[in-house]
Structure formats: structure tokens, C-alpha cells
Amino acid sequence: MYFDVASTAPLHPVARQALTAALDEGWADPARLYRSGRQARMLLDAARETVAEVIGCRADEIAFTSGGTQAVQLGVLGALRGNRRRGGHLAHSAVEHSSVLHSAERHLAEGGEVTSVPVDRHGRVDPEVFAAALRPDTALAVLQSANHEVGTVQPVAEVAALRGEVPLLVDAAQSVGRVDLPTGWSLLTASAHKWGGPAGVGVLAVRKGVRYVSPLPADEREAGRVPGFVNVPAIVAAAASLRAVRAEADQENARLHELVERIRARVPRLVPEVEVVGDPVRRLPHIVTFSCLYVDGEVLLGELDRAGFAVSSGSSCTSSTLTPSHVLAAMGVLTEGNVRISLPFGTTGADVDRFLTVLPELVAGVRAPLGLDLPAPAAAREPDGGPLVLDALGKRCPLPVIELAKRIGEVPVGGTVVVLADDEAARLDVPAWCGMRDQEYLGEAPAAEYGGDRGSAYLVRRVS
């Protein structure tokens, strides 16, 4: 079962048909005046009209890029350049896609200023807090339509109503083709492979009147916004599949919403110590994310793969950088043992039920070797009644939290446990564990104060 369309959707049958036909009819240079060039141009113009109609803008406001990441990067950097007379300040939410964060890093390196607006525990910005982060010198604000990791829908229209004259770029990669798009945007980006079109086609929409200067050298193609030869057959296939997906979206969304509700309700009942994250109401219909305490995310994803389920994760142990998802970190939720499920069109109730049958056994199998059911060791308190210090230095997520869970019972209610850890995920997961287990997180201190030679000390008071 493929449950990872938030990463990329399978090629839609309509896209496959359109691509095959366009390879024969749209291979020529659409900028040329001979017959095959004119034919390619007609196909490109028709595709642009289709995409513009779905997005809700004019066809001449649409430019095609090599993908969603390039669309975001060109949109951010081009809008900043076009509005530099306003100032050099960029504001974005803390849970934007990495393409926004990398563009912000580039802007900072070039002398600009950046504000990252925090989100609540559901991953949603407060419109008034976002608006308050805007300044007279803000050249651009960026807010996604819905989050790619947890599915939370952002209050774009509310932010747009409060932003004044600041241009607003909306990354709509997870929304285009699936749900109605928000209003009030100045620039909008999308990615065809998210809705079932071919990979390698992105969309950058820039409203008329919005100041935009391409950060790349000048080129006559795509209104000067995106240089290089356009892939007409892929664009035609992307537009055809977008029309088809949007036509079936309402019916499919209602069905997928019910299946996601089933997962959200049953996973916490079937699997102990699980936190379902993301807004329970204001969310995309096909995405659900949960995190399992005391579970190595990479191991769990491997077990699910062997059981026939393709899912993704924001756990640090599944990342090549060994850092937790910046989205989960910004939300302040558990990052270990994270699983993101994003259901494709056509997913059945039987598919979901099979996943719910397999999941508890797999999680239990991953946890079994960790000794969570063993009695706590007898030892343990310092003679002077000081805190219980747990040395988890050198241990990766989720081991520091596992040690905490196994041994917190050794201190009386009101006693303190200190976890020494040098894994960055512990900074997020220890407070999240306390929130889930109704214990009190006291904060962080230098590890040297408790005998550690590196890392940090995380202090927890036993409440129950």
C-alpha cells in the first residue's frame, strides 16, 4: 500500500495518456513560427489556461518551472528583489517547506533580515501574531496553504486581510488540485507531482501588479521569470491531470476524510503511548501524522515497508542529518517514532483496516527489545537525596527518553530526574514526553553541572 502521496503521487492515468500524445505533437520549440513550433505553442497555451483556471488567476500570470522547489525559491528571491525598495525584511511561518527556509538563509547571507513566526501545538499560526511580525520594511511574507508534514491548514485569508500592502507568497503544493485554494495571495507556487502529474513541472503564479525581478539571468521564456527550454509534453500532462484530479476531488476528499478520521481515532486506542499531531479539524483530508514513544522511527518505517506499507517520517533517526523535523520541533510535539500517512485517491477502507491491524504488532515488536516491561533497577538514589542522574550521552533518539521512562519511578513524587544527552532530538522529546506523561519539565542546564563532559542536562520533576 502506497501511503505517501504528500511526497509524490503516482502518475495519474490521464497524465500518462496526455504525455504520450504530447510527445508526438508538442516536441518542438514553442517559440518558433513554423508549424511544429506553433503546434507546441498551442498546447503550451492551453495547458497554461487550464492551470490558471484551477488556481484562479490569469493565464499570463502563470510561469512553469522545473519543480515546486524551484518555484518557491524563484518566487521568494524574485519577490524580495522586486520589493527591495520597501526594505530587506522577510517573514515566514516556522513550519514552511525547506525550500522557503533555504531561500531565507540565502537572503540572510546577502544582508537581509528574517523573522520566523511561531505556530501553536497544532502547527497553525495565529493571524494576528503573523501580522504583528510584519514591519514597514517587510518586502515579503510567506505562508503555506497547508502543512506538508501534519496537514494543518493555515489561515491564509485571515493573514491576507491583515497584511496591508506586504506581498504574500503562498506555497500551495499540498493543496492544488485537492481543495479550494485560499484567497488574498500575491504569489503562489505548486508542484505537479503532488497531484499526479509528471515530476519536473512546477508552477509559479505572480499576480499582475506584484513587483517581481527574477534572481536569475534574463531569459525571454516564461515572461522572463524562468530561464530555459520548457518541457511542453510534461506541462501538458500536468495540466490534464490537474483538471482530472480537481473534478474528482470533492467525492474523494469526503471518503479520505473518513478514513483519516478512522486512523486518528483508532491508533491511540490500539497503540499505547502515541500522540496524534496536527489540527484535528482544520486539516487536509488525506494526511495524518502520529508519533510513538520509545520507538526508533527508522526501524518502524523499515518494519512497515516489509509489511507492505510505504509511509514517511519526520523522526531524526530517519534523516540523513540526524536532526528532527523542523515542523514537529516548531510545534513542540514528540518527534521520535514519527509516522506520516498521506492517502492517495482510491484508498479503500480495507487498506486502512489492514494497516491498523499490522501497526500495533509492529510497534510492540520494535519496543520489545528495549525492556520497557522490566522492573526498574533497584539502585539508584544519591545518599544526600539529590536528583537521579541518567547518563544517556552518546545514545540516539529514542533511547534518552526510554531511559527516562524506565527509571523515573525510582524517585518519589516531587523528586527530580536529570537526563544527560547529546542527541539534539532530546531537547524536543524530553519536554514532549513530560507533556504526554503529565510530568513537569523543569528546563535545560549545562551537562557539566551534573558530571557530563558534553551535551545538555534535561531536568524532570516527577508529578505522578
Side-chain angles (χ1 to χ4, degrees), residues 71-92 99-115 134 137-142 166-169 186-187 204 206 210-215:
V72 168
Q73 293 176 344
L74 289 177
V76 171
L77 298 177
L80 286 170
R81 288 192 67 185
N83 291 276
R84 56 190 168 188
R85 288 187 179 181
R86 291 183 57 90
H89 179 241
L90 167 67
H92 62 76
S99 57
V100 173
L101 304 188
H102 293 155
S103 299
E105 291 171 1
R106 168 81 172 271
H107 182 57
L108 273 174
E110 294 177 347
E113 295 182 74
V114 177
T115 298
L134 306 182
D137 65 336
T138 302
L140 180 67
V142 182
V166 176
L168 176 64
L169 184 149
S186 310
L187 303 95
L204 171 60
V206 181
V210 174
R211 292 186 177 91
Y212 180 91
V213 176
S214 175

Side-chain angles (χ1 to χ4, degrees), residues 56-429:
C57 65
R58 295 167 37 153
D60 59 358
E61 295 172 336
I62 295 288
F64 293 109
T65 72
S66 67
T69 293
Q70 188 190 51
V72 168
Q73 293 176 344
L74 289 177
V76 171
L77 298 177
L80 286 170
R81 288 192 67 185
N83 291 276
R84 56 190 168 188
R85 288 187 179 181
R86 291 183 57 90
H89 179 241
L90 167 67
H92 62 76
S93 85
V95 293
E96 296 299 315
H97 187 265
S98 59
S99 57
V100 173
L101 304 188
H102 293 155
S103 299
E105 291 171 1
R106 168 81 172 271
H107 182 57
L108 273 174
E110 294 177 347
E113 295 182 74
V114 177
T115 298
S116 178
V117 181
V119 296
D120 64 18
R121 195 170 173 82
H122 292 316
R124 198 169 192 265
V125 299
D126 182 315
E128 294 186 358
V129 172
F130 195 100
L134 306 182
R135 310 183 327 205
D137 65 336
T138 302
L140 180 67
V142 182
L143 182 61
Q144 59 195 187
S145 59
N147 187 259
H148 50 291
E149 290 194 29
V150 299
T152 296
V153 172
Q154 297 291 357
V156 172
E158 293 93 325
V159 168
L162 298 172
R163 67 184 166 94
E165 297 182 356
V166 176
L168 176 64
L169 184 149
V170 172
D171 173 10
Q174 294 296 337
S175 303
V176 170
R178 289 188 170 272
V179 297
D180 293 336
L181 294 178
T183 59
W185 52 269
S186 310
L187 303 95
L188 183 140
T189 62
S191 184
H193 73 100
K194 303 291 186 181
W195 69 64
V201 178
V203 176
L204 171 60
V206 181
R207 294 282 196 193
K208 288 294 182 184
V210 174
R211 292 186 177 91
Y212 180 91
V213 176
S214 175
L216 298 176
D219 190 86
E220 70 275 10
R221 299 180 188 274
E222 293 302 288
R225 295 178 190 144
V226 187
F229 196 92
V230 290
N231 187 341
V232 174
I235 291 170
V236 169
S241 59
L242 178 58
R243 182 193 293 114
V245 166
R246 193 68 193 99
E248 59 192 10
D250 291 343
Q251 180 177 353
E252 277 294 288
N253 284 344
R255 220 171 47 77
L256 295 179
H257 186 275
E258 291 182 2
L259 295 178
V260 165
E261 281 296 322
R262 187 183 305 180
I263 296 172
R264 290 181 65 91
R266 292 183 60 186
V267 165
R269 295 203 299 263
L270 294 170
V271 182
E273 311 293 2
V274 163
E275 181 179 22
V276 180
V277 300
D279 197 300
V281 177
R282 294 167 294 195
R283 58 176 177 79
L284 291 174
H286 66 296
I287 295 179
V288 56
T289 301
F290 56 87
S291 298
C292 307
L293 270 173
Y294 324 127
V295 169
D296 184 313
E298 185 175 12
V299 173
L300 179 56
L301 262 60
E303 292 298 318
L304 284 167
D305 183 36
R306 280 186 281 277
F309 294 95
V311 301
S312 67
S313 171
S315 295
S316 61
C317 41
T318 66
S319 167
S320 59
T321 63
L322 299 182
T323 57
S325 154
H326 71 276
V327 172
L328 301 178
M331 294 166 61
V333 299
L334 188 69
T335 67
E336 66 185 56
N338 179 258
V339 175
R340 180 189 68 181
I341 297 168
S342 46
L343 303 178
F345 286 177
T347 302
T348 67
D351 297 333
V352 169
D353 287 341
R354 179 168 171 259
F355 174 81
L356 293 171
T357 299
V358 167
L359 180 69
E361 301 173 3
L362 297 182
V363 174
V366 172
R367 287 172 172 168
L370 302 175
L372 291 173
D373 295 326
L374 297 176
R381 295 304 306 283
E382 297 178 4
D384 61 358
L388 171 62
V389 179
L390 306 180
D391 185 353
L393 295 169
K395 297 180 179 179
R396 283 180 51 195
C397 153
L399 294 179
V401 173
I402 290 172
E403 288 296 311
L404 172 60
K406 289 167 62 176
R407 301 191 61 186
I408 193 170
E410 298 174 32
V411 301
V413 172
T416 302
V417 178
V418 177
V419 182
L420 302 181
D422 53 358
D423 181 9
E424 186 64 24
R427 178 170 286 113
L428 306 169
D429 290 344

